[in-house]
């Protein structure tokens, strides 16, 4: 089940939110656990066993880590338990996510003919695995106490608003809210408004521009031109932002309706003036996870420049691999490693001397180019597409390119504006002036009316069949 579906919007969510508020406080964690298991089982009932195993596995590891601490055995038993937790979680993730990729790669390189298992990837496994790993690591470090209530811990791991595609919510982010949550009409209303705006991002923006990317990507090479290739690249750039940030907005909004405060995942990343800044704004919970649990433990930047570059290489190789079992994802991760390395060595000093608009153009060029690597899972097609972006072997422009650019020009301008803080700043200025004249209540109902319009338009699109799964579900 996905958020942008008729079943979720019209049946599952209304029933869950009503029953949640009718449920006694002491039973709400149990109710959310049951609702989350139903949500997950709707699409993949057989893989629910894996998630439940991970939950019980790391619940027991947390209790054992607490025991090792109280008995003064942290350096012996504690380290063993932590190693078992990390290796066990990674083993499950790697088995389901990378076995087919490893066998295919071996067959290709060694000329062997091993049978490819054809394992299906359990939805959300990359996200909930990282969440449970962060829990046991934080318990070992003494940053959070072990959770004694299995129901409460299971609710944290399986919580459906952020289960499938994040944001990656560490236990330390919501440990107090796992125990007790404050709910109110203003918080619930704000959560609903954010959920609906996220739904609009997905259905009205991401899906529509995604259709253009699919159209261009599927064209025969003879029909393409450099202008059309760049239009496709821009289309995917907008699609993945509105798709993923839309899901994050919906997840954060749902969390607020249940009394949780999830961390932000995006901060207008396409406003960045460097690649370093971009990765402080894009998928912030993943960047934070790798920084906290990989980069800093490896030594970060405290062991010299050479060691820092090695640490960056490891982090970005793993970041690419985390996104998917494919060489294009590994290349994408290493692509950003090279850019970040160059910026740390000398490029940032040069960029600081340039006008702001040139810094933006620099960052956007590499960001858009990077998304082409991310989107093309066929390396041969990726090579040809990069050539077309450079104008090699294709005309600079053709009739189809002119038609597509002129047809989608207004929509592209809307997407560009919506991907920056420009519209938010404009709305805040209007809101402040409006509030002085009419008060907060009128503004609230106007915003609610706008959100309802977004909902109606989104429902119309969904009913007509204009729907795509979320891109990050497969990662």
């Amino acid at each position: 089940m996905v958020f942008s579906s008729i079943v979720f919007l019209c049946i599952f969510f209304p029933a869950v939110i009503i029953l949640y508020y009718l449920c006694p406080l002491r039973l709400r964690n149990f109710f959310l656990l049951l609702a989350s298991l139903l949500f997950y089982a709707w699409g993949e009932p057989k893989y629910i066993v894996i998630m439940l195993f991970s939950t019980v596995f790391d619940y027991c590891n947390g209790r054992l880590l607490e025991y090792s601490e109280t008995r003064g055995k942290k350096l012996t038993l504690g380290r063993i338990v932590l190693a078992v937790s990390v290796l066990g979680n990674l083993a499950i993730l790697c088995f389901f996510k990378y076995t087919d990729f490893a066998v295919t790669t071996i067959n290709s390189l060694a000329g062997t003919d091993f049978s490819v298992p054809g394992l299906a990837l359990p939805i959300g496994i990359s996200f909930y695995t990282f969440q449970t790993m962060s829990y046991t690591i934080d318990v070992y470090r003494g940053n959070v106490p072990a959770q004694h209530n299995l129901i409460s811990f299971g609710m944290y791991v399986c919580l459906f608003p952020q289960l499938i595609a994040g944001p990656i919510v560490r236990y330390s982010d919501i440990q107090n809210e796992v125990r007790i949550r404050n709910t109110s009409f203003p918080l619930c209303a704000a959560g609903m408004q954010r959920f609906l705006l996220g739904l609009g991002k997905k259905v009205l923006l991401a899906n529509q521009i995604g259709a253009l990317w699919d159209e261009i990507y599927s064209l025969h090479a003879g029909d393409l031109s450099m202008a059309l290739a760049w239009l496709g690249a821009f289309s995917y750039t907008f699609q993945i932002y509105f798709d993923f940030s839309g899901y994050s907005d919906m997840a954060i909004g749902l969390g607020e309706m249940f009394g949780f405060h999830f961390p932000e995942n995006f901060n207008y990343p396409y406003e960045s003036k460097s690649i370093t800044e971009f990765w402080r704004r894009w998928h912030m919970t993943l960047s934070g996870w790798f920084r906290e649990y990989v980069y800093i433990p490896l030594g970060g930047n405290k062991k010299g420049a050479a060691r820092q570059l090695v640490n960056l290489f490891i982090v970005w190789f793993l970041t690419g691999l985390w996104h998917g079992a494919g060489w294009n994802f590994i290349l994408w991760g290493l692509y950003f490693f090279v850019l970040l390395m160059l910026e740390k060595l000398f490029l940032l000093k040069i960029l600081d001397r340039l006008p702001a608009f040139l810094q933006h153009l620099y960052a956007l060029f590499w960001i858009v180019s990077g998304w082409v690597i991310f989107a093309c899972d066929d390396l041969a097609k990726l090579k040809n597409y990069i050539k077309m972006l450079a104008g090699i072997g294709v005309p600079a422009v053709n009739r189809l390119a002119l038609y597509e650019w002129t047809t989608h020009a207004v929509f592209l301008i809307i997407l560009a504006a919506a991907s920056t803080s420009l519209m938010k700043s404009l709305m805040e200025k209007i809101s402040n002036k409006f509030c002085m004249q009419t008060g907060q209540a009128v503004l609230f109902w106007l915003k609610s009316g706008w959100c309802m319009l977004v909902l109606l338009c989104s429902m119309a699109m969904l009913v007509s069949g204009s729907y795509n799964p979320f891109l990050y579900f497969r990662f």
Side-chain angles (χ1 to χ4, degrees):
M1 193 184 306
V2 296
F3 297 160
S4 56
S5 67
I6 299 297
V7 172
F8 180 86
L9 294 170
C10 298
I11 301 174
F12 180 84
F13 173 67
V16 168
I17 196 68
I18 291 170
L19 291 174
Y20 177 80
Y21 278 94
L22 292 175
C23 193
L25 292 177
R26 67 181 184 279
L27 296 178
R28 285 186 174 180
N29 281 356
F30 181 64
F31 174 75
L32 274 182
L33 174 60
L34 292 180
S36 298
L37 293 176
L38 175 61
F39 176 86
Y40 193 85
W42 187 272
E44 293 194 335
K46 62 181 179 180
Y47 289 120
I48 201 171
V49 176
I50 301 168
M51 186 171 63
L52 290 175
F53 173 81
S54 295
T55 300
V56 176
F57 177 63
D58 280 315
Y59 168 80
C60 294
N61 287 328
R63 296 299 301 272
L64 285 171
L65 286 168
E66 182 185 57
Y67 173 82
S68 71
E69 180 71 27
T70 58
R71 293 294 186 272
K73 299 179 180 180
K74 183 175 181 179
L75 295 179
T76 52
L77 178 60
R79 287 183 176 179
I80 293 172
V81 173
L82 180 64
V84 168
S85 173
V86 172
L87 293 175
N89 280 295
L90 290 178
I92 294 171
L93 177 62
C94 291
F95 175 75
F96 284 98
K97 194 166 185 175
Y98 303 110
T99 298
D100 287 5
F101 174 63
V103 173
T104 303
T105 301
I106 291 170
N107 286 341
S108 177
L109 295 177
T112 53
D113 191 27
F114 296 119
S115 176
V116 179
L119 296 171
L121 179 66
I123 292 177
I125 189 172
S126 297
F127 289 90
Y128 68 72
T129 298
F130 270 31
Q131 290 187 180
T132 58
M133 283 174 59
S134 70
Y135 165 75
T136 53
I137 295 171
D138 283 348
V139 171
Y140 174 80
R141 291 175 174 178
N143 295 338
V144 298
Q147 174 58 253
H148 289 198
N149 189 313
L150 180 58
I151 298 299
S152 295
F153 183 71
M155 183 275 296
Y156 156 70
V157 176
C158 305
L159 191 58
F160 76 87
Q162 47 79 55
L163 172 64
I164 304 298
I168 298 173
V169 180
R170 291 184 280 179
Y171 183 77
S172 57
D173 294 327
I174 59 169
Q175 59 175 316
N176 294 327
E177 293 169 349
V178 168
R179 182 174 57 88
I180 186 169
R181 296 178 291 282
N182 295 318
T183 55
S184 64
F185 175 76
L187 183 62
C188 185
M192 177 62 77
Q193 289 175 346
R194 182 152 189 182
F195 173 84
L196 293 177
L197 292 176
L199 177 68
K201 277 187 176 182
K202 163 62 181 169
V203 178
L204 304 179
L205 300 182
N207 284 2
Q208 309 314 311
I209 197 63
L212 178 59
W213 160 250
D214 290 340
E215 177 189 339
I216 292 173
Y217 188 67
S218 62
L219 286 174
H220 188 272
D223 297 324
L224 286 165
S225 63
M226 184 171 70
L228 201 56
W230 277 105
L231 178 59
F234 288 132
S235 299
Y236 188 81
T237 297
F238 286 127
Q239 181 192 11
I240 197 165
Y241 170 70
F242 288 110
D243 185 281
F244 193 20
S245 70
Y247 183 95
S248 294
D249 285 341
M250 284 188 272
I252 293 169
L254 285 170
E256 288 181 343
M257 284 184 265
F258 293 114
F260 294 98
H261 294 82
F262 298 154
E264 294 292 337
N265 216 18
F266 292 88
N267 182 24
Y268 302 106
Y270 295 159
E271 289 187 345
S272 301
K273 298 177 183 178
S274 67
I275 300 304
T276 301
E277 183 183 356
F278 173 74
W279 279 105
R280 292 181 185 141
R281 292 168 171 260
W282 178 276
H283 204 345
M284 295 186 290
T285 57
L286 179 67
S287 301
W289 198 97
F290 273 110
R291 181 176 61 252
E292 182 69 24
Y293 300 109
V294 180
Y295 182 68
I296 292 176
L298 287 173
N301 59 357
K302 299 184 182 301
K303 296 187 178 182
R307 179 61 180 272
Q308 182 186 12
L309 294 180
V310 171
N311 295 340
L312 281 174
F313 174 84
I314 294 171
V315 165
W316 285 99
F317 176 83
L318 293 176
T319 299
L321 193 62
W322 180 89
H323 278 86
W327 285 108
N328 64 308
F329 296 115
I330 295 174
L331 288 174
W332 178 77
L334 297 180
Y335 167 88
F336 279 110
F337 158 71
V338 171
L339 290 171
L340 290 167
M341 177 185 67
L342 293 175
E343 287 190 356
K344 287 185 180 298
L345 291 176
F346 65 90
L347 265 182
L348 284 179
K349 295 178 181 178
I350 297 174
L351 287 172
D352 288 341
R353 300 171 188 166
L354 297 177
F357 80 95
L358 288 179
Q359 295 179 47
H360 284 302
L361 288 177
Y362 156 84
L364 285 174
F365 174 82
W366 294 113
I367 291 166
V368 174
S369 301
W371 286 131
V372 172
I373 301 173
F374 190 88
C376 299
D377 53 6
D378 184 328
L379 294 186
K381 196 160 187 176
L382 170 61
K383 180 181 177 181
N384 291 332
Y385 205 96
I386 291 174
K387 285 183 177 179
M388 288 185 284
L389 290 176
I392 299 174
V394 292
V397 65
N398 58 9
R399 288 185 179 180
L400 183 58
L402 290 173
Y403 171 78
E404 296 290 6
W405 271 102
T406 53
T407 302
H408 295 91
V410 174
F411 189 40
L412 289 170
I413 292 171
I414 293 172
L415 292 169
S419 65
T420 69
S421 59
L422 178 64
M423 294 182 70
K424 180 182 178 181
S425 300
L426 181 61
M427 290 305 297
E428 286 178 350
K429 290 179 180 179
I430 295 173
S431 298
N432 291 335
K433 289 184 178 181
F434 195 80
C435 284
M436 293 175 64
Q437 299 174 1
T438 62
Q440 287 284 352
V442 176
L443 180 64
F444 169 79
W445 289 111
L446 284 174
K447 186 175 181 180
S448 298
W450 169 251
C451 290
M452 289 305 298
L453 178 62
V454 170
L455 173 62
L456 291 174
C457 293
S458 298
M459 292 290 288
M461 288 290 185
L462 293 175
V463 170
S464 69
S466 177
Y467 164 73
N468 290 318
F470 287 92
L471 295 178
Y472 260 71
F473 275 22
R474 60 193 177 102
F475 307 136

